[in-house]
Amino acid sequence: MSRALPKYNKRRVAMIGGVSAVVLSGALIAGSALAGETPENGAQATTKAAAGTISCPEVASQLPAIPASAQAEVDRNLALLTTQIDEANKRLNETVGQGGSNFVQNAILGPLEDKRIATLNRIETAIGRAAEKPEGLEAFATCTLDAGAGAGAGAGEGAEAGEDDTATAEPEAPATQEAGGAEDAGDAAGGNTAAGAISCPDVASQLPAIPASAQAEVDRNLALLDTQIDEANKRLNETVGQGGPNFVQNAILGPLASKRTAAIDRIAISIGRTAEKPQGLDALAACTLTE
């Protein structure tokens, strides 16, 4: 998706530079504000002091005029952006004290950004069907953790043993992520033992006839799917011995599924512009670790 912004949107985004993110959070609010903490521009709310709160750029005010035919779809996706923040804040509270030094970025902020990119992409596409398509909304995808965060420094064992929700995995975790209080490599049941490789369903063979006008975009995203698998396998090898019971699922397979979903959605959308949009391709997003 192009990063270039249309003329009517440049001024707004230029003002965003260091804009304080508007918190669209429905998470639990602490009984009182953090001592000595003053929310920026009055726009931030806080969750439990030990966890802080996640702040994301506000999107609705950055959109151009929305065609009537796109209003319902845009509204649904704006509501989804709010839901995604609520879920991320809930996860933040539930995992206080867990993980290593990069837990919050890897397991919460990263996956949230991936979800927001896909949602913003759908907003752009909906508007673009009946008016000039806004570009560069990805600039509003990245969220931050405000003061009071303690979730990433705990001595826990990464993600909880029962967690396998792909939304809790990180999109692009540093290869040097610390294991926190995870078990040693020999005792980390279910941790990264580097056994096997990552295998994903083939997408190209499942596509219908591709219109000539969509071929280049489809090819780019098919190549991106291959790159994503290569990067995931590289990360698998670089994190041998790290993590707790669900490290591979939460830190590698989950983020990979999120990335693949976004790329596959772009493929379906590009085909759908001039032909019947293929349905059900999301079923090809999940990958597995093979022995």
Side-chain angles (χ1 to χ4, degrees), residues 102 106 170 172-180 182-186 188 190-196 198 230-244 246-253 255 289:
N102 293 308
N106 294 344
E170 54 94 16
E172 289 184 304
T176 56
Q177 178 186 4
E178 297 178 7
E183 303 93 332
D184 292 335
N192 182 7
T193 60
I198 292 171
D230 291 342
E231 291 174 345
N233 274 305
K234 181 173 182 287
R235 171 131 175 86
L236 185 69
N237 288 321
E238 290 175 340
T239 56
V240 176
Q242 291 187 23
N246 289 300
F247 178 84
V248 173
Q249 176 60 44
N250 292 342
I252 301 177
L253 292 180
L289 182 63

Side-chain angles (χ1 to χ4, degrees), residues 63-282:
L63 300 179
I66 301 172
S69 60
Q71 189 68 59
E73 185 172 355
V74 170
D75 287 346
R76 282 195 300 272
N77 282 288
L78 288 174
L80 181 57
L81 289 172
T82 302
T83 299
Q84 290 165 351
I85 299 173
D86 292 344
E87 291 173 346
N89 270 306
K90 181 174 182 289
R91 167 105 174 114
L92 187 67
N93 282 301
E94 291 174 343
T95 56
V96 172
Q98 293 187 20
S101 60
N102 293 308
F103 179 82
V104 173
Q105 177 60 44
N106 294 344
I108 301 177
L109 292 180
L112 176 59
E113 181 175 357
D114 269 2
K115 290 181 178 181
R116 284 173 63 85
I117 288 173
T119 304
L120 292 167
N121 189 20
R122 288 193 292 271
I123 290 174
E124 288 184 342
T125 300
I127 294 174
R129 292 192 185 104
E132 183 178 358
K133 180 181 177 182
E135 300 288 353
L137 291 184
E138 284 181 352
F140 306 110
T142 303
C143 302
T144 58
L145 181 64
D146 290 341
E157 296 180 346
E160 294 178 0
E163 292 169 354
D164 57 4
D165 183 0
T166 59
T168 64
E170 54 94 16
E172 289 184 304
T176 56
Q177 178 186 4
E178 297 178 7
E183 303 93 332
D184 292 335
D187 299 325
N192 182 7
T193 60
I198 292 171
S199 176
C200 303
D202 177 66
V203 174
S205 64
Q206 305 302 316
L207 299 179
I210 301 171
S213 59
Q215 188 68 59
E217 186 172 358
V218 170
D219 287 345
R220 281 195 300 273
N221 281 287
L222 288 174
L224 179 59
L225 290 172
D226 290 337
T227 299
Q228 291 167 349
I229 298 172
D230 291 342
E231 291 174 345
N233 274 305
K234 181 173 182 287
R235 171 131 175 86
L236 185 69
N237 288 321
E238 290 175 340
T239 56
V240 176
Q242 291 187 23
N246 289 300
F247 178 84
V248 173
Q249 176 60 44
N250 292 342
I252 301 177
L253 292 180
L256 177 59
S258 294
K259 291 179 180 180
R260 283 174 60 84
T261 296
I264 289 170
D265 281 348
R266 289 193 293 270
I267 289 173
I269 290 169
S270 63
I271 294 174
R273 291 192 184 105
T274 52
E276 184 177 357
K277 181 179 177 181
Q279 302 295 324
L281 293 180
D282 284 353

